[in-house]
């Protein structure tokens, strides 16, 4: 089946620093990748939709200058949390859609747990 | 607006059967997904329904009624490892997933 990896799995950083999270589709080409955030005991919240070679589409309330998304190739998208603060601590999950799949299923990465001190 | 409702929490006994309901109101419909998510992990795909009726896959089955905006996930022969959150999601007219808040399923021995 389709596999999506994320790196790093977890990261602890100081307030004010920037953190980059990578999302890779390992065995398929992902024309679209999604970035989600999930706070404890809450459901997934879509942050942005990323299409290869174009600018990401951000959901209402998500600051595009703070959460930089780059989808430079069909297998890699990156999310950079700039000037991270403790309230940015969360579980960040990416998913990728296989454009050639039967029903546009989204395949999820294992997630990245970010803790900002 | 777009809305997906599912119960917050359910409890069931090992070996029993449990049905998790999901109702939805979305702009467009391109299928309904069920995902399982264990604590601290990413969701994993369970099922997809786009036509009315029941889809069976081992111990798990999923049902859809588009006219009623209703789906359920049926879990049989419950095992302790089935303790997780179950997320209902609907693909809207833009093929984006609209997520429910999830149902936390607690399995007791």
């Amino acid at each position: 089946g389709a596999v999506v990896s994320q790196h790093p799995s977890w990261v602890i950083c100081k307030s004010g620093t920037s953190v980059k999270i990578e999302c890779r589709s390992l065995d398929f080409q992902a024309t679209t990748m999604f970035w989600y955030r999930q706070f404890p005991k809450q459901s997934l919240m879509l942050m942005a939709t990323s299409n290869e070679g174009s600018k990401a589409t951000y959901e209402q309330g998500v600051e595009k200058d703070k959460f930089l998304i780059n989808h430079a190739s069909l297998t890699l998208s990156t999310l950079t949390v700039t000037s991270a603060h403790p309230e940015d601590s969360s579980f960040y999950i990416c998913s990728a859609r296989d454009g050639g799949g039967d029903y546009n299923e989204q395949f999820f990465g294992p997630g990245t747990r970010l803790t900002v001190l | 607006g777009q809305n997906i409702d599912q119960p917050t929490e359910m409890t069931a006994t090992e070996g029993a059967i449990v049905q998790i309901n999901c109702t939805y109101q979305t702009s467009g419909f391109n299928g309904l997904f069920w995902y399982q998510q264990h604590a601290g992990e990413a969701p994993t795909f369970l099922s997809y329904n786009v036509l009315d009726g029941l889809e069976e896959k081992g111990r798990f089955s999923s049902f859809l009624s588009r006219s009623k905006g209703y789906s359920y996930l049926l879990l049989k022969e419950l095992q302790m490892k089935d303790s997780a959150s179950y997320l209902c999601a609907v693909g809207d007219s833009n093929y984006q997933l609209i997520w429910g808040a999830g149902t936390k399923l607690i399995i007791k021995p």
Side-chain angles (χ1 to χ4, degrees):
Chain A
V3 179
V4 176
S5 70
Q6 265 183 257
H7 178 81
S9 299
W10 57 272
V11 58
I12 301 173
C13 68
K14 293 182 179 180
S15 184
T17 61
S18 294
V19 176
K20 180 186 281 188
I21 302 171
E22 292 186 350
C23 177
R24 293 181 185 271
S25 58
L26 299 185
D27 51 2
F28 67 99
Q29 293 185 328
T31 52
T32 305
M33 287 184 169
F34 303 87
W35 286 97
Y36 293 89
R37 181 167 54 183
Q38 186 176 34
F39 293 105
K41 298 185 180 181
Q42 295 186 24
S43 189
L44 299 170
M45 186 187 78
L46 180 64
M47 299 176 67
T49 301
S50 167
N51 291 297
E52 185 266 339
S54 62
K55 291 183 178 180
T57 302
Y58 290 81
E59 296 299 302
Q60 193 172 7
V62 178
E63 299 175 58
K64 62 180 181 180
D65 294 329
K66 181 171 180 64
F67 298 99
L68 301 178
I69 292 173
N70 184 285
H71 193 164
S73 75
L74 287 171
T75 59
L76 173 65
S77 176
T78 60
L79 168 69
T80 302
V81 183
T82 62
S83 187
H85 288 93
E87 57 266 30
D88 298 324
S89 298
S90 187
F91 192 44
Y92 291 87
I93 308 172
C94 74
S95 70
R97 188 163 70 203
D98 182 353
D102 290 338
Y103 42 75
N104 293 289
E105 177 187 343
Q106 289 186 27
F107 300 95
F108 285 86
T112 297
R113 189 162 301 283
L114 171 63
T115 302
V116 185
L117 303 177
Chain B
Q2 311 209 89
N3 194 48
I4 296 182
D5 287 318
Q6 51 181 129
T8 304
E9 187 174 296
M10 299 182 70
T11 302
T13 305
E14 189 177 15
I17 299 173
V18 70
Q19 177 175 310
I20 303 174
N21 296 324
C22 171
T23 58
Y24 64 89
Q25 289 179 310
T26 58
S27 57
F29 179 83
N30 278 302
L32 187 142
F33 299 79
W34 283 97
Y35 283 84
Q36 179 191 61
Q37 185 178 26
H38 286 100
E41 299 180 10
T44 55
F45 171 79
L46 289 178
S47 68
Y48 171 77
N49 294 69
V50 68
L51 299 176
D52 290 350
L54 186 68
E55 294 278 344
E56 296 186 75
K57 189 185 295 185
R59 293 189 299 114
F60 293 2
S61 302
S62 57
F63 171 84
L64 175 67
S65 169
R66 288 172 297 170
S67 62
K68 295 181 179 179
Y70 168 70
S71 172
Y72 67 73
L73 179 69
L74 190 71
L75 293 76
K76 302 176 183 177
E77 301 170 14
L78 287 171
Q79 302 174 10
M80 297 303 292
K81 67 178 182 180
D82 297 330
S83 292
S85 286
Y86 291 86
L87 307 174
C88 172
V90 173
D92 69 6
S93 54
N94 294 317
Y95 290 95
Q96 284 200 1
L97 289 183
I98 311 299
W99 292 88
T103 299
K104 182 179 180 180
L105 178 63
I106 300 169
I107 309 295
K108 295 185 176 180

